[in-house]
mmCIF file of all heavy atoms in Angstrom:
data_model
loop_
_atom_site.group_PDB
_atom_site.id
_atom_site.type_symbol
_atom_site.label_atom_id
_atom_site.label_comp_id
_atom_site.label_asym_id
_atom_site.label_seq_id
_atom_site.Cartn_x
_atom_site.Cartn_y
_atom_site.Cartn_z
ATOM 1 N N GLN A 688 7.402 6.622 26.299
ATOM 2 C CA GLN A 688 7.244 7.159 24.951
ATOM 3 C C GLN A 688 5.810 7.051 24.454
ATOM 4 O O GLN A 688 5.347 8.035 23.824
ATOM 5 C CB GLN A 688 8.049 6.291 23.974
ATOM 6 C CG GLN A 688 9.460 6.672 23.990
ATOM 7 C CD GLN A 688 10.316 5.584 23.210
ATOM 8 O OE1 GLN A 688 9.858 4.639 22.713
ATOM 9 N NE2 GLN A 688 11.609 5.798 23.216
ATOM 10 N N CYS A 689 5.086 6.001 24.787
ATOM 11 C CA CYS A 689 3.676 5.844 24.263
ATOM 12 C C CYS A 689 3.126 4.528 24.881
ATOM 13 O O CYS A 689 3.636 3.515 24.697
ATOM 14 C CB CYS A 689 3.658 5.827 22.773
ATOM 15 S SG CYS A 689 1.965 5.522 22.160
ATOM 16 N N PHE A 691 0.510 2.943 24.066
ATOM 17 C CA PHE A 691 0.069 1.952 23.046
ATOM 18 C C PHE A 691 1.210 1.147 22.527
ATOM 19 O O PHE A 691 1.157 -0.048 22.197
ATOM 20 C CB PHE A 691 -0.688 2.609 21.917
ATOM 21 C CG PHE A 691 -1.389 1.782 21.007
ATOM 22 C CD1 PHE A 691 -2.638 1.223 21.356
ATOM 23 C CD2 PHE A 691 -0.773 1.285 19.819
ATOM 24 C CE1 PHE A 691 -3.272 0.309 20.567
ATOM 25 C CE2 PHE A 691 -1.437 0.382 18.953
ATOM 26 C CZ PHE A 691 -2.748 -0.082 19.327
ATOM 27 N N LEU A 692 2.302 1.879 22.314
ATOM 28 C CA LEU A 692 3.533 1.165 21.879
ATOM 29 C C LEU A 692 3.981 0.061 22.918
ATOM 30 O O LEU A 692 4.383 -1.023 22.521
ATOM 31 C CB LEU A 692 4.685 2.187 21.741
ATOM 32 C CG LEU A 692 6.064 1.805 21.220
ATOM 33 C CD1 LEU A 692 5.882 1.167 19.869
ATOM 34 C CD2 LEU A 692 7.056 2.955 21.181
ATOM 35 N N ALA A 983 -3.055 5.682 22.702
ATOM 36 C CA ALA A 983 -2.059 6.063 21.810
ATOM 37 C C ALA A 983 -1.733 7.532 22.150
ATOM 38 O O ALA A 983 -2.368 8.489 21.729
ATOM 39 C CB ALA A 983 -2.522 6.043 20.360
ATOM 40 N N ALA A 984 -0.729 7.760 23.024
ATOM 41 C CA ALA A 984 -0.418 9.114 23.483
ATOM 42 C C ALA A 984 1.098 9.272 23.440
ATOM 43 O O ALA A 984 1.816 9.135 24.511
ATOM 44 C CB ALA A 984 -0.978 9.314 24.920
ATOM 45 N N PRO A 985 1.678 9.563 22.267
ATOM 46 C CA PRO A 985 3.167 9.670 22.214
ATOM 47 C C PRO A 985 3.642 10.955 22.970
ATOM 48 O O PRO A 985 3.009 11.881 22.999
ATOM 49 C CB PRO A 985 3.404 9.759 20.692
ATOM 50 C CG PRO A 985 2.160 10.358 20.162
ATOM 51 C CD PRO A 985 1.054 9.896 21.072
ATOM 52 N N PRO A 992 8.469 10.048 18.294
ATOM 53 C CA PRO A 992 8.462 8.591 18.238
ATOM 54 C C PRO A 992 7.501 8.033 17.186
ATOM 55 O O PRO A 992 7.900 6.985 16.612
ATOM 56 C CB PRO A 992 7.811 8.148 19.702
ATOM 57 C CG PRO A 992 7.511 9.451 20.320
ATOM 58 C CD PRO A 992 7.984 10.620 19.562
ATOM 59 N N CYS A 993 6.515 8.759 16.805
ATOM 60 C CA CYS A 993 5.604 8.224 15.739
ATOM 61 C C CYS A 993 6.368 8.108 14.400
ATOM 62 O O CYS A 993 5.957 7.341 13.575
ATOM 63 C CB CYS A 993 4.423 9.086 15.586
ATOM 64 S SG CYS A 993 3.379 9.235 17.007
ATOM 65 N N CYS A 996 8.191 4.761 14.608
ATOM 66 C CA CYS A 996 7.507 3.720 15.308
ATOM 67 C C CYS A 996 6.979 2.573 14.440
ATOM 68 O O CYS A 996 6.460 2.709 13.370
ATOM 69 C CB CYS A 996 6.275 4.342 15.997
ATOM 70 S SG CYS A 996 5.393 3.114 17.017
ATOM 71 N N ASP A 997 7.266 1.394 14.898
ATOM 72 C CA ASP A 997 6.944 0.163 14.222
ATOM 73 C C ASP A 997 5.328 -0.157 14.268
ATOM 74 O O ASP A 997 4.837 -0.815 13.416
ATOM 75 C CB ASP A 997 7.587 -1.124 14.702
ATOM 76 C CG ASP A 997 9.042 -0.958 14.622
ATOM 77 O OD1 ASP A 997 9.542 -0.558 13.598
ATOM 78 O OD2 ASP A 997 9.714 -1.276 15.666
ATOM 79 N N CYS A 998 4.758 0.500 15.267
ATOM 80 C CA CYS A 998 3.324 0.148 15.453
ATOM 81 C C CYS A 998 2.359 1.195 14.835
ATOM 82 O O CYS A 998 1.169 1.199 15.117
ATOM 83 C CB CYS A 998 3.057 0.059 16.990
ATOM 84 S SG CYS A 998 4.069 -1.165 17.758
ATOM 85 N N ARG A 999 2.957 2.054 13.989
ATOM 86 C CA ARG A 999 2.173 3.121 13.418
ATOM 87 C C ARG A 999 0.961 2.591 12.712
ATOM 88 O O ARG A 999 -0.126 3.155 12.777
ATOM 89 C CB ARG A 999 3.080 3.886 12.486
ATOM 90 C CG ARG A 999 2.559 5.270 12.234
ATOM 91 C CD ARG A 999 3.406 5.962 11.213
ATOM 92 N NE ARG A 999 2.628 7.216 10.924
ATOM 93 C CZ ARG A 999 2.810 8.323 11.511
ATOM 94 N NH1 ARG A 999 3.867 8.518 12.223
ATOM 95 N NH2 ARG A 999 1.990 9.378 11.227
ATOM 96 N N CYS A 1002 -1.803 1.553 15.415
ATOM 97 C CA CYS A 1002 -2.366 2.395 16.459
ATOM 98 C C CYS A 1002 -3.441 3.315 15.946
ATOM 99 O O CYS A 1002 -4.250 3.711 16.776
ATOM 100 C CB CYS A 1002 -1.339 3.189 17.186
ATOM 101 S SG CYS A 1002 -0.652 4.542 16.158
ATOM 102 N N PHE A 1004 -3.262 6.320 15.167
ATOM 103 C CA PHE A 1004 -3.126 7.582 15.944
ATOM 104 C C PHE A 1004 -3.937 8.671 15.053
ATOM 105 O O PHE A 1004 -3.689 8.826 13.895
ATOM 106 C CB PHE A 1004 -1.661 7.995 16.033
ATOM 107 C CG PHE A 1004 -1.424 9.263 16.707
ATOM 108 C CD1 PHE A 1004 -1.659 9.346 18.045
ATOM 109 C CD2 PHE A 1004 -1.085 10.392 16.005
ATOM 110 C CE1 PHE A 1004 -1.550 10.609 18.780
ATOM 111 C CE2 PHE A 1004 -0.946 11.620 16.723
ATOM 112 C CZ PHE A 1004 -1.173 11.687 18.095
HETATM 113 S S1 SF4 B 1101 2.900 5.618 16.069
HETATM 114 FE FE1 SF4 B 1101 2.934 7.065 17.876
HETATM 115 S S2 SF4 B 1101 0.963 6.926 18.739
HETATM 116 FE FE2 SF4 B 1101 1.163 5.100 17.451
HETATM 117 S S3 SF4 B 1101 1.999 3.557 18.793
HETATM 118 FE FE3 SF4 B 1101 3.705 4.530 17.843
HETATM 119 S S4 SF4 B 1101 4.329 6.118 19.259
HETATM 120 FE FE4 SF4 B 1101 2.212 5.571 19.826
#
Side-chain angles (χ1 to χ4, degrees):
Q688 279 171 1
C689 175
F691 191 82
L692 182 59
C993 298
C996 180
D997 302 314
C998 303
R999 203 185 167 99
C1002 74
F1004 179 74

